[in-house]
Amino acid sequence: MSLSQEANPLLEDWHTPYGLPPFERIHPEHFTPAFDAAMLERQREIDAIATRTEAPSFGNTVAALDACGQLLGRIRMLFDNLSLSETSPALQAVEREMAPRIAAHESAVYQNEALFMRLHALYERRASLGLTAEQVRLLERFHLDFERAGATLGAAEKVRFAAIVEELAALSTQFAQNVLADEASFALTLATPDERAGLPSFVLDAALQAGRERGMPEGTYVITLSPSLSGPFLTFSERRDLREQVWRARGERGAHPGEHDNRPVAARIVALRQEQAALLGYATYADYKLADRMAPSVAAVDELLQRAWKPAVEMARHDRERLSALAVELGQPTPIAAWDWRYLAEKVRQKSFAIDDAQIKPYFSLDAMQAAMFDCASRLFGVRFKECHGIALYHPDARVWEVMDSEGKLIGVFIGDNFARQTKRSGAWMSILRSQSGRDGGTLPIVLNNNNFAKGSPTLLSFDDIRTLFHEFGHGLHGLMSNVQYERLAGTNVLADFVELPSQLFENWAQEREVLLRHARHVETGEAIPAELLERLDAASRFDQAFTTVQYVGPALIDMALHARTDTAPVDIAQFQADEAAKLGVPDDIGMRHYLPHFQHLFAGDDYAAGYYVYMWAEVLEADGYAAFTEAGDPFDRGTAERLLTWIYSAGNSIDPATAFRTFRGREPAVEPMLEKRGLLAAPARG
Ligand SMILES: [Zn+2]
């Protein structure tokens, strides 16, 4: 079908509430022609800046660059959001077609020689141009963006670099689609009561809901690979054989021979990245990535990760003894396996802290916890959230809120899309449909949070889910509270090892006693959670930290090793993973949170490549940052909250992140609060 541009809603002005996309009118076939038109428009804008006859100035070159490409930006943000949250075979086809073409367009922009010459001339004189600090930062940022995209390469190298970027874009798309295909094809049906043994009612409800979504006959219980369903299944199911099935299916995503096999895809991505780094003069791809991060070197990253890894593995040894003793008591086989750990740990947790998730969950409904996160944002930053009804979005589960500042002025729009479905990528994330900026009197940010909670009636969350909810909302606030002039520096457009600071920091309020006493109310009786139960919860939350740390740090170290390879022979992904895990001593009965063939952080894009460590890097900042509230004696201390807003949540990338943190905290960050929080400072003596 061919469409005239007049009929394409993607290319029209949107006279909709808040300028939201007119979702109902947009169909997959609109995207390709709209992308074509928008890329052409941006190319014309870029050419106009590059070929100006006036001497380069900040306004006619740098600010102009920041402001151009708005039509393409709007379409891309919409397309990316739909591809993540509500995809379809038709959208996936557009994605496969457009990803390499958009990458080629980006290369053409960032390798534009005349434009780079103008930028470079300004960059050389940046100290004497009379610019504000934010303007200098924007100029430096663009200059680096161009360098990193190959602007300084010779003509032949530029062509090769662009071809690599294009092929990588296609491979990343394929990688993510392969994972989704493996996830969508797995469904464990629990036909008999025996197969459902041990599962609390919230898991059963969610399994029924998953059955409905998969179009199974009413009353069918289905376990999918969605973490909020498969995680509790591994924790509670009495059926060791089924736990093993689910654990293996999770771990083997992307590693099945056939058309969705990600092992050769990942290997090709690694090879192209090595070539990309070499073209730009870096010894390894990790060096190339770290040149644009806070962390100074691969060695510095490894050192931080090892500071957590060693005591965590040691602590896990003690936990293992305890779990093994319990397994013997229960008449289960030892040595224990990876599909036993969560199950046995839950039994120990219940016994030691008299806690069981099934008893706790009714206090944590999604609605109550959502109200809690809005309330925390209000108390910290003075913002208010008001739900808007009657606005049609891309899926009925997505809800919209207006965000107002303390004077009632609209400062943003927030969309929450919380439930798992087959058309949504797994995991949780924040994204945007429009960025904040000071352009044209100010643009209103539209921020989305996606989660993959198992829908229930009502939906009840585990403590992990609540942390995820607050985490993504922390990113959301980073986008909503942004208060900078230039879009390139707005919101979460910060360095990759700083971006998890606002999100991880916000998780702390989810665990504040005062917040929970106020908001964690029993879903049937409305009664507040008993203080004594909270204390036990708090103690239990520090239990099994070794497991969590080992599961995370293992893949973070392997990511670094993979991207710091100097060997240019093709890598065998499965073999590399096995060798590195053996070298590190990844305990078999704990395993890893991600295995390379489905490690989307690394391969579904490049933001987190050589960058899975960023969570721990930012956690150092986060734990030390939250200690400022603890030291002030109030989780909502006004002075600390004001500094936090000014230097962290609203500053975007307008200042150097190390300076921003130091100014907020009054000193350099310390690593100890992170280790302490994970229970790794008081690790038992080795030997
Ligand atoms: Zn995050």
Side-chain angles (χ1 to χ4, degrees):
M1 176 164 59
S2 90
L3 288 150
S4 69
Q5 291 194 355
E6 288 74 33
N8 194 329
L10 291 170
L11 298 172
E12 295 166 5
D13 287 339
W14 294 340
H15 302 288
T16 49
Y18 319 108
L20 281 162
F23 290 105
E24 289 166 311
R25 295 175 48 221
I26 293 167
H27 302 294
E29 63 268 24
H30 291 133
F31 279 102
T32 300
F35 271 125
D36 282 335
M39 287 194 290
L40 210 64
E41 181 179 303
R42 182 168 179 236
Q43 191 58 58
R44 274 197 295 264
E45 291 169 352
I46 290 288
D47 290 341
I49 301 170
T51 58
R52 282 184 94 108
T53 47
E54 304 100 331
S57 69
F58 181 86
N60 74 19
T61 303
V62 187
L65 184 58
D66 188 65
C68 86
Q70 287 178 44
L71 180 64
L72 180 61
R74 187 180 83 166
I75 297 169
R76 262 182 98 166
M77 285 186 258
L78 170 61
F79 183 75
D80 289 349
N81 274 294
L82 291 176
S83 297
L84 287 166
S85 307
E86 184 59 3
T87 191
S88 64
L91 276 181
Q92 288 185 322
V94 177
E95 202 180 1
R96 286 191 300 271
E97 184 198 343
M98 290 312 302
R101 293 186 50 209
I102 293 171
H105 166 77
E106 289 297 328
S107 289
V109 169
Y110 286 96
Q111 293 188 348
N112 184 313
E113 197 150 347
L115 181 52
F116 182 68
M117 297 292 278
R118 289 176 74 87
L119 271 179
H120 189 66
L122 292 165
Y123 177 80
E124 297 277 272
R125 295 186 290 120
R126 64 193 182 283
S128 59
L129 295 172
L131 302 179
T132 66
E134 187 182 337
Q135 289 172 333
V136 173
R137 187 132 180 108
L138 181 66
L139 173 51
E140 288 172 347
R141 184 65 255 180
F142 275 138
H143 193 262
L144 188 62
D145 289 344
F146 274 71
E147 274 182 347
R148 294 177 68 74
T152 56
L153 296 176
E157 290 172 313
K158 268 185 181 165
V159 172
R160 178 59 196 147
F161 193 92
I164 293 172
V165 170
E166 204 174 316
E167 190 179 346
L168 281 172
L171 290 166
S172 298
T173 303
Q174 194 187 343
F175 190 92
Q177 291 188 359
N178 285 347
V179 177
L180 194 63
D182 271 8
E183 287 173 352
S185 70
F186 179 88
L188 171 68
T189 302
L190 308 174
T192 65
D194 180 58
E195 288 169 344
R196 302 191 287 270
L199 300 180
S201 61
F202 75 86
V203 181
L204 291 171
D205 287 348
L208 280 176
Q209 179 63 29
R212 265 174 230 131
E213 271 157 29
R214 293 287 174 109
M216 309 268 200
E218 187 56 32
T220 311
Y221 296 88
V222 168
I223 300 301
T224 66
L225 295 181
S226 161
S228 67
L229 197 49
S230 56
F233 185 80
L234 289 171
T235 306
F236 293 109
S237 172
E238 300 286 341
R239 284 285 298 265
R240 188 168 193 264
D241 57 331
L242 299 183
R243 293 200 308 264
E244 179 176 355
Q245 255 188 58
V246 169
W247 190 87
R248 287 192 187 282
R250 258 162 69 133
E252 288 165 7
R253 281 172 295 154
H256 302 289
E259 59 168 339
H260 298 304
D261 192 347
N262 264 338
R263 288 166 293 188
V265 180
R268 179 73 184 144
I269 291 176
V270 170
L272 289 169
R273 285 174 175 170
Q274 284 182 313
E275 193 185 342
Q276 199 180 17
L279 276 170
L280 291 177
Y282 292 95
T284 71
Y285 185 75
D287 291 308
Y288 165 61
K289 293 304 274 187
L290 288 178
D292 192 24
R293 301 257 176 83
M294 284 181 85
S297 64
V298 174
V301 170
D302 279 343
E303 191 202 321
L304 173 67
L305 293 171
Q306 289 290 354
R307 274 186 83 170
W309 176 256
K310 286 180 190 145
V313 169
E314 182 58 27
M315 240 170 80
R317 212 163 56 84
H318 291 256
D319 292 346
R320 178 175 303 111
E321 281 166 19
R322 214 164 152 190
L323 300 188
S324 303
L326 178 66
V328 170
E329 219 176 281
L330 296 172
Q332 300 211 354
T334 52
I336 61 171
W339 43 92
D340 297 324
W341 191 289
R342 285 182 180 79
Y343 170 80
L344 293 167
E346 177 61 19
K347 294 247 182 282
V348 171
R349 191 197 329 261
Q350 289 182 15
K351 222 161 109 186
S352 312
F353 305 100
I355 281 215
D356 101 61
D357 273 5
Q359 174 209 347
I360 295 158
K361 267 202 148 181
Y363 289 101
F364 299 112
S365 71
L366 172 61
D367 284 346
M369 290 302 102
Q370 204 153 245
M373 76 188 194
F374 288 150
D375 186 36
C376 289
S378 255
R379 295 172 74 186
L380 287 165
F381 305 135
V383 281
R384 300 264 178 281
F385 292 79
K386 191 175 135 241
E387 184 161 8
C388 312
H389 298 279
I391 297 177
L393 297 177
Y394 55 91
H395 190 277
D397 283 345
R399 293 161 66 183
V400 195
W401 285 264
E402 280 185 340
V403 189
M404 265 106 36
D405 70 9
S406 52
E407 271 122 53
K409 184 180 153 235
L410 187 67
I411 58 160
V413 174
F414 176 70
I415 296 175
D417 180 356
N418 286 313
F419 301 118
R421 52 181 174 263
Q422 260 178 293
T423 49
K424 195 195 262 195
R425 181 165 154 183
S426 58
W429 61 90
M430 168 272 195
S431 55
I432 59 171
L433 280 166
R434 189 167 56 225
S435 168
Q436 183 271 332
S437 82
R439 194 176 54 233
D440 307 329
T443 51
L444 199 66
I446 303 175
V447 166
L448 295 92
N449 272 183
N450 268 273
N451 290 295
N452 264 288
F453 302 140
K455 195 194 245 177
S457 47
T459 298
L460 302 176
L461 303 183
S462 70
F463 226 83
D464 275 351
D465 292 336
I466 296 165
R467 268 197 291 273
T468 302
L469 183 74
F470 274 64
H471 177 102
E472 298 311 332
F473 192 59
H475 283 306
L477 289 169
H478 200 192
L480 290 166
M481 307 307 297
S482 176
N483 186 17
V484 303
Q485 181 63 32
Y486 300 105
E487 186 166 333
R488 179 63 187 86
L489 304 177
T492 55
N493 272 331
V494 293
L495 301 195
D497 40 12
F498 187 77
V499 76
E500 298 299 334
L501 167 59
S503 53
Q504 295 187 155
L505 187 65
F506 204 74
E507 290 177 38
N508 286 283
W509 283 280
Q511 294 167 78
E512 272 300 335
R513 186 187 159 85
E514 151 183 6
V515 172
L516 294 175
L517 286 175
R518 186 192 284 214
H519 292 282
R521 294 185 170 274
H522 197 281
V523 76
E524 274 151 30
T525 64
E527 157 219 12
I529 191 164
E532 165 275 333
L533 182 54
L534 265 189
E535 265 143 44
R536 278 189 283 134
L537 255 181
D538 189 49
S541 76
R542 281 188 288 271
F543 171 73
D544 216 19
Q545 285 277 343
F547 173 85
T548 314
T549 302
V550 168
Q551 270 226 320
Y552 161 76
V553 178
L557 285 162
I558 290 179
D559 162 34
M560 246 346 175
L562 181 65
H563 286 111
R565 267 173 100 243
T566 48
D567 181 359
T568 51
V571 62
D572 178 329
I573 286 291
Q575 192 60 45
F576 184 86
Q577 178 171 273
D579 291 349
E580 288 298 314
K583 221 190 290 173
L584 283 170
V586 173
D588 284 342
D589 51 10
I590 294 182
M592 300 196 287
R593 199 180 162 104
H594 302 286
Y595 291 86
L596 293 174
H598 58 251
F599 207 163
Q600 303 201 69
H601 287 83
L602 272 47
F603 300 117
D606 62 2
D607 287 351
Y608 288 83
Y612 196 53
Y613 79 88
V614 303
Y615 294 94
M616 186 160 273
W617 190 271
E619 192 180 329
V620 170
L621 306 178
E622 166 270 302
D624 194 36
Y626 197 70
F629 285 94
T630 315
E631 286 159 20
D634 177 0
F636 297 98
D637 179 68
R638 180 165 289 273
T640 312
E642 274 169 12
R643 286 200 310 280
L644 184 65
L645 178 60
T646 306
W647 298 105
I648 309 290
Y649 280 89
S650 73
N653 196 4
S654 65
I655 33 178
D656 164 63
T659 309
F661 185 85
R662 203 182 315 115
T663 317
F664 157 64
R665 192 65 175 98
R667 59 164 172 72
E668 299 290 335
V671 177
E672 285 71 19
M674 182 278 283
L675 295 172
E676 157 112 65
K677 204 176 152 183
R678 286 184 175 257
L680 300 175
L681 265 188
R686 265 182 254 157

